[in-house]
Amino acid sequence: MDLPSDNIKKGVARAPHRSLLKALGLNDSDIERPFIGVANSFNEVIPGHLHLRQVAAAVKDGIWAAGGVPFEFGGIGICDGIAMNHEGMRFSLASRELIADEIEAMAKAHAFDGLVLIPNCDKIIPGMIMGALRVNVPAVVVSGGPMLAGELEGEKIDLNSVFEAVGAALTGKISQEQVDRIESCACPGCGSCAGLFTANSMNCLTEALGLALPGNGTVPAVDAGRIRLARRAGARAVGLVSESLRPRDIVTPAAVSNALAVDSSMGCSTNTVLHLAAIAHEAGVGFNLASVNEVTAHTPHLCSLRPAGSYHMQDLNRAGGVQALMKVLLDAGKIDGSARAVTGMTVAEQVEGAGVLDHDVIRDIKNAYHPTGGLAVLFGNLAPAGAVVKESAVMPEMLRHKGQALVFENEPDLVEAIEQGAIKPGSVIIIRYQGPRGGPGMPEMLTPTSAIAGAGLDRQVALITDGRFSGATRGASIGHVSPEAFAGGPVALVEDGDEIEIDIPGRSINLLVDEGELKRRAAAWQPRPPRYQAGLLSRYVKLVHGAETGATLG
């Protein structure tokens, strides 16, 4: 079987290449083995990545034991929590494309036969997968695993608890001393933040896509099972090379549909819609936002994890993990059991031995939290190309809402308005010019959503943006409004006092302004210059497409 690494190790013309490989400490027998790139996103900035050197060491042990040669290399990673609510958040989504480029460049330049991808947080996971799909050599994902929940006065807390404490403090509900206690207990150690936020959502969906071994999404970062899983992943990468099972063989329309079903049944972060769209694009698989509603319409909501519910990732792991959930969905005919996975089995074969160990954490179909899935895509004259909301995290009284618009064009002004008590119950808050091009980079807005929740307004106020929200968000927070304001989308035409009608069960979002008036406003609208005239974000604005495409480039 011909392998990519043959191009750097076979024949007399490759003597210089072999000489350099020997400079790494390899001998002739090592050079004959499959070469496996180990993409390790370790850094000392992200708590979810702090322990990834240990994970990578186990992966490499597994590769050696299975007859391959590991080559570890690094990759960038941005902590969205630390980047939140300042200029740094504009770089987060853009970093996904840089990470994909890194994987493609390293794998192609060094002719790797296979890859093990070691991400853990936010944009790093989809970025690595996107790069692997471009290269299309056998690949397996093994994340660093979720953080354990913190505890304060007998109650489990997490990072979202801190953000909501900020909102409570801004409105005088709690003291600075109470905030200090919460911030010191919420994040007890390494791992991706403990709720079903974007990182853990995506790590669970790597199992649903078939790109990771069972347990990848839920085994805690500090559990020895995470190291055992990493060792198995390394060995499996070598097996995938011998079987020639590649990412594009796995990420098929059936796999993407399965991922959407698991996403819906768990009530994952709205960011997963962006990332699944981008992954499908790299795999050459069709994806449109309407398909999200088609899947959620017949997929019940079976798990209610933080921020929508009270359970954390460690509870889902204890209850049987993603594989147990997939078994429930498979038995109910909600996912395609013929899809393939990196285990070498079909989904049906892989989940055969899985079972639910706690029927409150993973509910039965007949006892679902909601009869339909956790995500919804809304369409209407305010969002002709769609907008996304985490329906499972919306209070029942806010599922349908009509209110007057209160328009902001940056986060600080909104946070100041909340602090001053200027947000009236019933309002529909608009934060615009935050999209892929207008932001740029669709900055996440966890601070204002958490401040609204902390102020007790999440049952009375809706928030709409052409940017996006953290997976930690709860309430009627509607993001990804497309077309975005920067492109002249209808959200750019909204004025204070306009009535907006939201019908999440009906999948609609409309600006109740006369069509003639909207045409007059559109004729008067003037495009804005990009915020950045040089550097990464300047290039990004020139290349990025709308949120409805997954904010892909090209």
Side-chain angles (χ1 to χ4, degrees):
M1 177 176 64
D2 292 334
L3 294 174
S5 64
D6 291 345
N7 291 305
I8 62 170
K9 63 188 184 185
K10 287 193 173 181
V12 66
R14 300 298 185 258
H17 305 66
R18 291 192 297 272
S19 180
L20 291 168
L21 292 169
K22 289 177 178 179
L24 299 174
L26 302 184
N27 57 41
D28 288 329
S29 62
D30 295 331
I31 292 172
E32 293 176 1
R33 299 178 175 209
F35 286 1
I36 310 296
V38 178
N40 183 6
S41 58
F42 161 80
N43 66 43
E44 294 182 340
V45 182
I46 310 177
H49 291 225
L50 190 62
H51 62 305
L52 292 189
R53 285 180 293 193
Q54 289 77 21
V55 174
V59 164
K60 290 187 287 185
D61 287 345
I63 291 170
W64 279 115
V69 178
F71 294 88
E72 183 181 350
F73 61 94
I76 67 165
I78 288 174
C79 178
D80 280 13
I82 295 174
M84 193 74 64
N85 198 23
H86 63 91
E87 184 187 27
M89 181 45 70
R90 303 188 191 283
F91 289 85
S92 177
L93 186 59
S95 75
R96 185 187 71 181
E97 316 309 315
L98 293 177
I99 292 160
D101 291 347
E102 287 179 332
I103 299 297
E104 178 186 14
M106 289 295 292
K108 288 289 190 181
H110 302 106
F112 294 140
D113 301 315
L115 290 166
V116 178
L117 310 174
I118 310 177
N120 209 29
C121 292
D122 297 300
K123 312 312 157 297
I124 298 96
I125 305 157
M128 284 191 167
I129 292 172
M130 290 161 65
L133 283 163
R134 290 181 199 169
V135 178
N136 202 33
V137 296
V140 59
V141 179
V142 57
S143 75
M147 183 186 293
L148 295 177
E151 189 169 329
L152 180 63
E153 297 177 353
E155 291 189 10
K156 294 288 193 296
I157 60 173
D158 51 55
L159 182 64
N160 196 45
S161 307
V162 188
F163 276 98
E164 293 190 359
V166 171
L170 288 175
T171 54
K173 292 181 180 295
I174 65 173
S175 67
Q176 180 63 52
E177 183 182 359
Q178 288 172 295
V179 175
D180 293 343
R181 292 179 65 203
I182 293 169
E183 75 176 54
S184 297
C185 299
C187 299
C190 65
S192 46
C193 298
L196 194 61
F197 313 141
T198 303
N200 289 326
S201 294
M202 286 306 303
N203 280 327
C204 288
L205 294 189
T206 57
E207 290 189 51
L209 284 167
L211 293 173
L213 298 179
N216 182 67
T218 61
V219 175
V222 296
D223 193 313
R226 178 59 53 177
I227 299 302
R228 295 193 295 270
L229 178 67
R231 193 172 293 114
R232 290 198 301 274
R236 187 64 197 131
V238 180
L240 289 170
V241 171
S242 66
E243 297 163 23
S244 195
L245 182 59
R246 303 170 187 271
R248 290 188 192 174
D249 300 325
I250 293 169
V251 183
T252 61
V256 173
S257 180
N258 285 350
L260 279 174
V262 170
D263 193 334
S264 297
S265 70
M266 296 179 71
C268 289
S269 163
T270 51
N271 283 319
T272 59
V273 176
L274 277 177
H275 300 324
L276 284 176
I279 287 167
H281 172 76
E282 295 290 355
V285 174
F287 186 97
N288 65 76
L289 283 179
S291 67
V292 176
N293 286 340
E294 293 168 8
V295 172
T296 58
H298 64 78
T299 307
H301 178 213
L302 303 178
C303 296
S304 188
L305 307 182
R306 285 275 292 164
S310 58
Y311 292 113
H312 288 88
M313 296 306 297
Q314 64 209 61
D315 299 307
L316 179 58
N317 186 63
R318 172 179 52 79
V322 175
Q323 298 300 303
L325 175 62
M326 291 178 70
K327 181 66 162 61
V328 173
L329 294 173
L330 179 68
D331 289 346
K334 305 299 184 183
I335 60 174
D336 188 337
S338 68
R340 303 177 75 184
V342 290
T343 55
M345 296 183 279
T346 65
V347 166
E349 292 168 339
Q350 183 172 289
V351 304
E352 181 60 33
V356 177
L357 303 177
D358 186 326
H359 290 274
D360 196 35
V361 178
I362 303 174
R363 291 195 173 184
D364 300 326
I365 295 287
K366 294 181 180 179
N367 189 37
Y369 285 98
H370 303 97
T372 57
L375 293 178
V377 179
L378 313 183
F379 295 94
N381 72 346
L382 187 58
V388 184
V389 62
K390 188 171 183 175
E391 183 175 10
S392 60
V394 180
M395 304 299 178
E397 56 266 43
M398 289 299 297
L399 290 172
R400 290 182 173 88
H401 181 73
K402 184 190 291 186
Q404 292 188 338
L406 192 57
V407 181
F408 296 88
E409 300 193 0
N410 59 68
E411 276 188 71
D413 286 351
L414 172 55
V415 174
E416 183 180 351
I418 295 169
E419 187 174 5
Q420 294 175 351
I423 306 299
K424 296 179 181 178
S427 298
V428 177
I429 299 168
I430 302 285
I431 310 182
R432 63 189 179 194
Y433 291 95
Q434 305 300 315
R437 297 175 65 202
M442 292 187 79
E444 283 186 352
M445 285 172 277
L446 180 54
T447 298
T449 56
S450 299
I452 287 169
L457 292 169
D458 54 319
R459 294 177 180 270
Q460 301 169 302
V461 169
L463 181 57
I464 297 172
T465 183
D466 51 4
R468 60 195 176 92
F469 298 112
S470 165
T473 296
R474 61 186 173 94
S477 300
I478 300 165
H480 309 195
V481 170
S482 300
E484 62 175 296
F486 187 88
V491 71
L493 310 180
V494 181
E495 296 181 358
D496 284 345
D498 287 347
E499 272 206 320
I500 294 174
E501 186 171 46
I502 300 163
D503 183 356
I504 295 173
R507 306 302 190 241
S508 68
I509 182 167
N510 287 290
L511 177 61
L512 304 183
V513 173
D514 178 78
E515 187 175 342
E517 171 63 13
L518 289 178
K519 287 182 179 178
R520 184 193 68 77
R521 293 181 190 180
W525 177 81
Q526 294 292 324
R528 298 184 176 189
R531 293 178 191 265
Y532 291 82
Q533 302 299 322
L536 168 64
L537 292 180
S538 174
R539 297 193 301 274
Y540 183 78
V541 169
K542 293 173 184 176
L543 295 172
V544 70
H545 296 301
E548 72 276 11
T549 73
T552 53
L553 301 188

